Amino acid sequence: EDKYFPVIGDKDKGLIEYDEEALAGIYSYTFPSRSFLEATVLYKRETSPYASDSGHTPDRFMYIAGLRTAIHAGQSDQFTAEIAVAMGEEDPDRDIEAWAGLAEWKHTFAGAMKPRVALSLAGLSGDDPDTSDDEGWSPPFARWPKYSELYIYSQIRERGVANWSNLWFACAECIVSPVRPLTVRFSYYRLMAFHEWEAMQGYDSIDTVRGDLFEIRADISLLQGLTGHILYEYNAPGRFFQSEDAGHFFRIELNYAFAHGISW
């Protein structure tokens, strides 16, 4: 719960499953070619406000080291890669050994529509049910729909909503701007899991195929400060969960942002 700022319409509802404290150090260096290298070291402690036998997230601490680079090849190509490793311990006596990584290539074509394509491969380790350690990746802070606003709802059964873990995917993406105020993005994800899921009776996995995810999003800038977008996602599930029902997500959103300065 927020303890430092005023809360409007307080619902007396926790913002996350645990209290968290962290200390981080970040070093970044930009080369003359616009390429850059960034290194991060992070310590985080998570303390559950619930009783230890309540089934909520147990107390744990983690040391996370990460390295990220983006390399520009001319004016049209960019290669990005990052890797992170997490080590720590979870109550009552369980070691944490997890990792996450990403590699992506982007290319921008010449032309009035400014077409761009991107190919990426990413992995977030999963907890191996055959060991006593926790090998499942848990995002230290990025609990948000980074890849999909639809797929996060299926993760509730696993480690929690938007808790990306036990996942690897290949993604192909295309972005075009047919007219100046409009940008359209098409994305396709092939979703897989490292381990079958054995969490609850009746929900055990049949295989490690999570399914296929298709996304289309159109962003538009109408006037100064007035923006909007349309988003549609379609998920054709695999047999990681015992369900053959497809998922759909659709949203239309319009935003107006303004600012007014006051002279003293």
Side-chain angles (χ1 to χ4, degrees):
E1 296 182 353
D2 204 313
K3 301 176 181 178
Y4 303 105
F5 294 96
V7 178
I8 300 174
D10 191 0
K11 303 296 183 181
D12 192 26
K13 183 178 180 181
L15 304 176
I16 200 167
E17 299 91 340
Y18 38 74
D19 297 328
E20 48 189 1
E21 300 172 346
L23 180 66
I26 302 173
Y27 172 79
S28 60
Y29 181 80
T30 302
F31 298 91
S33 62
R34 296 183 297 122
S35 301
F36 75 88
L37 181 68
E38 183 176 270
T40 303
V41 178
L42 170 71
Y43 169 77
K44 186 184 182 190
R45 183 172 64 182
E46 300 172 352
T47 306
S48 176
Y50 307 97
S52 59
D53 59 350
S54 64
H56 288 77
T57 304
D59 294 350
R60 51 194 263 153
F61 71 87
M62 295 177 290
Y63 295 95
I64 301 174
L67 193 65
R68 183 173 189 267
T69 184
I71 301 172
H72 292 269
Q75 299 296 319
S76 302
D77 294 273
Q78 177 180 309
F79 177 77
T80 304
E82 55 184 307
I83 185 72
V85 178
M87 307 289 290
E89 187 173 321
E90 180 180 280
D91 285 347
D93 187 20
R94 190 184 188 197
D95 291 335
I96 298 173
E97 299 178 358
W99 62 270
L102 167 73
E104 182 181 64
W105 167 75
K106 292 181 180 179
H107 179 80
T108 302
F109 294 91
M113 297 179 63
K114 301 178 181 178
R116 287 170 287 167
V117 296
L119 300 175
S120 60
L121 185 67
L124 303 106
S125 63
D127 185 21
D128 188 345
D130 297 328
T131 70
S132 59
D133 296 339
D134 184 2
E135 298 92 355
W137 176 260
S138 289
F141 297 110
R143 293 286 296 276
W144 65 298
K146 180 175 178 62
Y147 306 109
S148 167
E149 300 207 41
L150 168 64
Y151 200 75
I152 60 174
Y153 296 103
S154 67
Q155 297 171 332
I156 296 174
R157 296 177 179 177
E158 298 179 71
R159 299 175 75 95
V161 62
N163 200 335
W164 300 94
S165 185
N166 191 25
L167 168 71
W168 70 269
F169 66 79
C171 175
E173 192 170 80
C174 178
I175 302 174
V176 295
S177 298
V179 293
R180 170 170 287 188
L182 177 65
T183 301
V184 183
R185 172 172 61 86
F186 304 91
S187 304
Y188 164 71
Y189 293 85
R190 176 63 169 176
L191 304 172
M192 305 289 291
F194 288 103
H195 306 284
E196 294 183 4
W197 191 45
E198 302 176 357
M200 295 186 296
Q201 185 177 3
Y203 289 106
D204 292 354
S205 299
I206 300 175
D207 59 27
T208 57
V209 179
R210 289 181 176 269
D212 298 291
L213 178 66
F214 301 87
E215 300 177 4
I216 179 171
R217 172 167 174 151
D219 288 87
I220 189 168
S221 298
L222 301 173
L223 301 170
Q224 183 176 357
L226 183 61
T227 60
H229 72 258
I230 299 175
L231 172 64
Y232 173 69
E233 299 186 22
Y234 172 78
N235 176 223
R239 297 197 297 174
F240 183 75
F241 294 118
Q242 292 183 3
S243 174
E244 297 180 356
D245 296 332
H248 304 267
F249 182 93
F250 180 72
R251 181 177 65 231
I252 299 177
E253 183 172 300
L254 194 63
N255 293 292
Y256 179 66
F258 62 93
H260 180 71
I262 300 176
S263 299
W264 294 91

